[in-house]
Amino acid sequence: MCGIVGIVGKGAATPLLVDGLKRLEYRGYDSAGVATLVKGKIERRRASGRIAALEERVNAEPLGGRTGIAHTRWATHGAPVENNAHPHATDKVAIVHNGIIENFAELKAELAAKGRVFASETDSEVIAHLLTVLIDEGMAPEAAFGAALKRLHGAFAVAAIVAGHEDLLLAARRGSPLAIGYGDGEMFVGSDALALAPLTRKISYLDDGDWVVVTGSTVTIHDHNDIQVTRAIKETALSGALIGKGNFQHFMQKEIFEQPAVIGDTLRVYVNPATRAVALPDLPVDLKTLNRIQLVACGTSYYAGLVGHYWIERLARLPVDVDIASEFRYRDPILEKGGLSMFVSQSGETIDTLSALRHAKAQGQKIAAIVNVPESSMAREADVVLPTHAGPEIGVASTKAFTTQLSVLASFAFAAAKARGTMSAAALNELAGAIYEIPEKVSAVLAMDEAIRAAAEIVAPARDVLYLGRGTSYPIAMEGALKLKEISYIHAEGYPAGEMKHGPIALIASDVPVIVLAPSDEWFEKTASNIQETKARGGQVILIADAKGIAKAGSLATATIEIPESHPFVTPILYSIPVQLLAYYVAIRKGTDVDKPRNLAKSVTVE
Ligand code: M6R
């Protein structure tokens, strides 16, 4: 989604602003722009397309000034053309905005009636005109900003600069995140700490409803009631090095190969390496007596939730419901007071999931958040946080966040089984051993890189692809299909293997590759029958299985990818790796923009 950077600086602002935008590129965007104050006047440069196009504009027409704002726009209202790119400006103010102004049509009509002329199709431009009218009516910029915010409905973050006020930056957060960076004689605002990583390590996060007056030496924060407040300043551990590609060609590739390390980092928080005992942070509920768990998430995080569903019910005999966040509130779910709702999210900012969290909280549920960004809104609003330790995930297609989410859910299912006494000590011990071995086994799967690259040759020419799996392999089939769609733009569906004969079998043809995930678990023989059915209809199967499975069914497949044998409980984590790499190599073969696939945003902060 859109990204915001702002600076009240000491030196040239434009290079720092453009650099900040580059670090927000991962969020997804289709135009970019920057505005600064040059001798007190607002000047701006904007371009549709990539930041490189904006850089060309800035190189052709340099932009001076020490105070400015910049933006990457992910189009919602109006096409991704230069006119709609931010900053939006009048002669008095320039603004950048992330989110949606729900009452923009009403405001636009009101402002047009006052003679304001609009230059874009965006909802955002009303903010610039509203501020201008208030300043023209005699209000000081700070008061005008506070008053303008009261007229805006919706979820957003906004930053503004004002002509003639070179030591002033105004910003606000309502729904969309915004961080303040503290420098020495200079201050920054950014959509996240990554944007500000090389500029400062001192960060504070605005609370929802906060608005802030920033100068080169001061930061004055007000809450939603305009009362002056303080927000803790934290040292962020993020550095430029953490967000580099290293020796990899793409962030996604780097993040796939980081998985043994980050899964290990995550598991170590929950599983004691010496005793193999699993411990969770203090929960706001008693697992022994809990009746039910509600899991809620979007996209890849939702598929992690589906695996969690199997695990928690199977191991702990604890009923679980899993919902897609964007549907959750609207189906008016029955949520027992004091029950546990768990929200799974890499970013911790996905607005559908965050709104679902707030809905559950309002119904008296206790809230657990499985998030990768510790300072995120979900982390801050939850009763307990079960962190994933994936480190910054930049590739739009989620990979290491997913397997670390699975690692947390596996630990949770284990702890719940132990608390509820649903498994014998021997079975728990065997399971702890299997969990403990995951990082090493993931490394072994990554070593199958070449076989996966070869299988990608079969998939790349296809228009449609089917992924099949049973049990916990079914969510991984859906995740594999999502990865392929996202980065290679090939249509793909993930299906429960047993459901194929109820419809999708009509699609089987020699040009529709069928990727079958078939670990040696209790469902293997049944999945093998589905492979036979596919083969009998001329389908080409890519079989992902262990040596035993390949010995039994490999002869029916066009290609096989061998995964180490493992306890069936951990197979979803291991089988995630080949589907990620397969999508990656298909995308490489097709020459798509792997880290920034078209139309997608890393963190979806609009409904
Ligand atoms: O940050 P979140 O985990 O809440 O994001 C949820 C989805 O938007 C995300 O998983 C999306 O589906 C990814 N692009 C998948 O690769």
Side-chain angles (χ1 to χ4, degrees):
M1 295 278 111
C2 307
I4 290 176
V5 195
I7 295 179
V8 186
K10 298 192 277 200
T14 301
L16 298 180
L17 289 167
V18 173
D19 210 41
L21 290 186
K22 286 183 186 163
R23 284 188 299 280
L24 290 174
E25 269 195 296
Y26 75 96
R27 298 163 70 93
Y29 70 103
D30 31 44
S31 61
V34 54
T36 58
L37 290 171
V38 181
K39 294 190 183 138
K41 284 199 173 144
I42 288 163
E43 291 231 14
R44 63 182 166 156
R45 309 283 180 266
R46 300 178 294 167
S48 67
R50 292 288 172 216
I51 291 174
L54 175 66
E55 277 184 305
E56 269 173 40
R57 289 273 292 114
V58 167
N59 288 341
E61 277 180 87
L63 191 59
R66 64 180 181 88
T67 293
I69 48 178
H71 190 261
T72 45
R73 172 175 187 254
W74 188 80
T76 57
H77 294 64
V81 293
E82 187 175 326
N83 257 10
N84 291 331
H86 298 216
H88 292 289
T90 65
D91 59 336
K92 294 258 166 31
V93 300
I95 66 98
V96 288
H97 161 238
N98 170 10
I100 291 180
I101 306 299
E102 286 165 1
N103 58 335
F104 85 97
E106 174 197 323
L107 288 172
K108 195 168 178 173
E110 179 189 317
L111 291 159
K114 288 186 174 164
R116 302 304 310 175
V117 178
F118 287 78
S120 78
E121 303 158 85
T122 66
D123 53 338
S124 315
E125 196 186 349
V126 293
I127 307 172
H129 288 284
L130 185 56
L131 262 173
T132 303
V133 165
L134 294 170
I135 290 170
D136 281 348
E137 284 171 3
M139 283 179 126
E142 297 84 342
F145 191 67
L149 290 171
K150 296 199 169 46
R151 298 290 320 276
L152 305 176
H153 299 169
F156 54 83
V158 62
I161 52 174
V162 183
H165 295 261
E166 291 194 60
D167 197 32
L168 180 68
L169 178 64
L170 301 158
R173 173 203 171 149
R174 194 189 296 161
S176 302
L178 204 63
I180 309 294
Y182 295 75
D184 179 13
E186 51 188 351
M187 300 287 178
F188 316 96
V189 301
S191 288
D192 60 32
L194 280 182
L196 308 180
L199 300 171
T200 178
R201 292 222 162 156
K202 285 191 193 154
I203 300 283
S204 64
Y205 293 89
L206 293 186
D207 274 3
D208 219 24
D210 284 355
W211 62 280
V212 59
V213 178
V214 182
T215 72
S217 53
T218 59
V219 171
T220 313
I221 303 175
H222 305 84
D223 70 6
H224 63 287
N225 288 322
D226 297 338
I227 294 169
Q228 207 171 311
V229 287
T230 51
R231 302 287 175 226
I233 302 174
K234 297 181 181 161
E235 282 271 328
T236 164
L238 290 172
S239 75
L242 268 177
I243 49 175
K245 274 192 271 207
N247 292 328
F248 292 93
Q249 205 186 338
H250 295 100
F251 282 110
M252 182 181 178
Q253 186 189 23
K254 174 182 170 242
E255 288 158 6
I256 290 174
F257 281 87
E258 275 172 358
Q259 288 176 107
V262 295
I263 291 171
D265 290 346
T266 302
L267 285 174
R268 261 192 297 283
V269 173
Y270 301 95
V271 186
N272 183 317
T275 61
R276 295 192 182 177
V278 176
L280 301 175
D282 285 344
L283 296 177
V285 291
D286 183 355
L287 285 176
K288 269 196 255 122
T289 53
L290 193 65
N291 293 329
R292 203 179 132 259
I293 291 180
Q294 174 70 57
L295 272 164
V296 186
C298 296
T300 287
S301 300
Y302 169 70
Y303 297 141
L306 289 182
V307 176
H309 184 190
Y310 278 90
W311 279 343
I312 298 166
E313 288 199 339
R314 170 62 73 101
L315 264 54
R317 310 309 297 154
L318 174 53
V320 176
D321 285 320
V322 191
D323 271 70
I324 289 186
S326 55
E327 292 292 324
F328 177 67
R329 283 182 292 162
Y330 304 111
R331 80 171 174 83
D332 198 8
I334 301 161
L335 299 167
E336 213 178 287
K337 219 174 175 168
L340 182 67
S341 287
M342 294 177 89
F343 297 83
V344 188
S345 173
Q346 187 285 126
S347 59
E349 299 295 349
T350 303
I351 195 73
D352 288 320
T353 312
L354 184 57
S355 309
L357 182 156
R358 289 174 179 158
H359 178 80
K361 205 170 189 175
Q363 310 292 305
Q365 288 272 292
K366 299 293 178 193
I367 307 296
I370 300 179
V371 290
N372 194 41
V373 180
E375 310 82 7
S376 61
S377 304
M378 284 181 220
R380 289 188 294 144
E381 294 184 28
D383 296 306
V384 63
V385 180
L386 303 172
T388 53
H389 290 271
E393 190 180 65
I394 307 292
V396 165
S398 186
T399 53
K400 61 177 182 169
F402 179 62
T403 49
T404 52
Q405 287 165 350
L406 292 180
S407 303
V408 174
L409 285 162
S411 307
F412 182 88
F414 183 102
K418 201 168 169 192
R420 297 167 75 85
T422 47
M423 287 175 75
S424 69
L428 281 171
N429 199 35
E430 191 191 332
L431 205 59
I435 293 175
Y436 191 69
E437 281 171 14
I438 295 171
E440 193 189 317
K441 295 224 161 151
V442 169
S443 293
V445 181
L446 289 168
M448 300 308 294
D449 191 40
E450 276 312 313
I452 299 168
R453 199 192 287 258
E457 292 298 314
I458 302 169
V459 177
R463 215 189 62 174
D464 304 287
V465 178
L466 280 176
Y467 286 73
L468 302 179
R470 281 176 187 260
T472 48
S473 298
Y474 163 45
I476 307 304
M478 289 194 280
E479 169 60 4
L482 178 64
K483 289 284 92 82
L484 192 72
K485 278 186 270 212
E486 283 189 296
I487 60 169
S488 76
Y489 314 147
I490 294 174
H491 169 244
E493 301 277 356
Y495 256 95
E499 184 69 8
M500 188 178 68
K501 53 191 176 297
H502 298 289
I505 199 161
L507 298 173
I508 303 288
S510 60
D511 59 350
V512 181
V514 180
I515 295 158
V516 182
L517 289 85
S520 289
D521 53 21
E522 64 197 276
W523 303 287
F524 180 85
E525 301 303 337
K526 292 194 190 306
T527 309
S529 307
N530 304 130
I531 299 175
Q532 293 276 10
E533 291 156 12
T534 306
K535 184 74 184 165
R537 286 161 181 83
Q540 287 198 70
V541 171
I542 297 173
L543 175 62
I544 308 181
D546 53 30
K548 259 201 251 164
I550 291 175
K552 287 187 197 162
S555 61
L556 298 169
T558 309
T560 58
I561 297 167
E562 189 182 321
I563 305 299
E565 271 175 45
S566 61
H567 192 296
F569 180 74
V570 302
T571 54
I573 301 184
L574 304 189
Y575 282 65
S576 302
I577 313 296
V579 299
Q580 295 168 351
L581 275 173
L582 188 64
Y584 175 74
Y585 286 124
V586 173
I588 294 290
R589 175 74 173 9
K590 298 197 77 177
T592 58
D593 192 344
V594 172
D595 284 332
K596 297 186 281 293
R598 71 183 178 206
N599 303 338
L600 291 179
K602 180 68 183 161
S603 170
V604 181
T605 51
V606 294
E607 275 198 60

